[in-house]
Amino acid sequence: LFPYTTLFRSENDSRNIPMKDNSVDLIFLHPPYWDMVKYSTKKQDISKQGIEEFLESMREVIAETNRILKPSKYACILIGDVVRKGKFIPLTRHLANICEELGLEDCGNAIKITKDSVSQRRRGKAIYAELAKTRNLKQNHDTVMFWKKLT
């Protein structure tokens, strides 16, 4: 899910969802992995933002989805971590912190093995981590995080 998603066959911004409070049983977010793939040329597209702006936009998206989620219902977020210039950027941890700050309860994670993803085609299909030696981390999974709205 990024700011331009399909809700009721119209284009909307996920930071301002045209739905009533406490009206949804399940939310599944699949945001861009920061700037790995550019989804549009629109200024508001969060895949084009710097990391701090991206995380602030994701805070707004998660807060908005939390608003429309019914109490005791679930939100899932599918995201992968990123490596830029040899530096590990833990998007999963950043988004988990945001969810906790917004009062969601952590219900665990599932791992989604990626196969022939865009990022793997760019990096090669080798599945191993050699970060300590070469500062080049190759990953073959994404994380699905499960969150429960308490109130």
Side-chain angles (χ1 to χ4, degrees):
L1 181 72
F2 58 98
Y4 292 92
T5 187
T6 303
L7 286 171
F8 308 111
R9 298 181 185 260
S10 65
E11 194 173 81
N12 293 288
D13 186 329
S14 298
R15 294 167 287 193
N16 186 15
I17 300 172
M19 297 180 75
K20 293 180 182 177
D21 294 0
N22 304 312
S23 61
V24 176
D25 291 310
L26 175 69
I27 294 173
F28 192 96
L29 301 173
H30 186 200
Y33 299 4
W34 180 29
D35 68 347
M36 188 178 292
V37 176
K38 303 293 189 250
Y39 287 92
S40 77
T41 58
K42 296 180 179 183
K43 182 180 179 182
Q44 306 93 314
D45 185 344
I46 66 174
S47 69
K48 295 172 34 176
Q49 296 177 336
I51 187 65
E52 295 303 322
E53 295 84 6
F54 172 80
L55 293 173
E56 182 53 36
S57 290
M58 285 307 304
R59 176 181 302 282
E60 294 171 9
V61 169
I62 294 167
E64 182 67 355
T65 57
N66 192 32
R67 177 189 66 78
I68 65 171
L69 188 63
K70 292 178 183 176
S72 300
K73 298 301 181 179
Y74 296 88
C76 305
I77 303 173
L78 172 62
I79 191 80
D81 296 315
V82 175
V83 176
R84 287 289 180 276
K85 299 179 183 175
K87 182 177 179 183
F88 178 69
I89 301 166
L91 295 178
T92 53
R93 185 171 55 212
H94 290 310
L95 294 187
N97 290 342
I98 290 169
C99 288
E100 288 176 347
E101 290 167 10
L102 292 173
L104 294 166
E105 178 182 44
D106 191 342
C107 295
N109 297 326
I111 300 299
K112 176 188 167 282
I113 303 298
T114 57
K115 181 179 179 185
D116 200 33
S117 66
V118 170
S119 58
Q120 281 185 330
R121 286 192 299 268
R122 285 186 190 154
R123 294 186 308 231
K125 293 186 180 183
I127 300 174
Y128 57 91
E130 54 183 17
L131 183 61
K133 202 169 195 179
T134 66
R135 296 187 52 80
N136 181 28
L137 178 64
K138 294 181 179 156
Q139 297 175 287
N140 70 324
H141 72 278
D142 295 329
T143 302
V144 182
M145 300 184 293
F146 300 93
W147 299 91
K148 183 177 182 179
K149 182 176 180 176
L150 298 177
T151 59

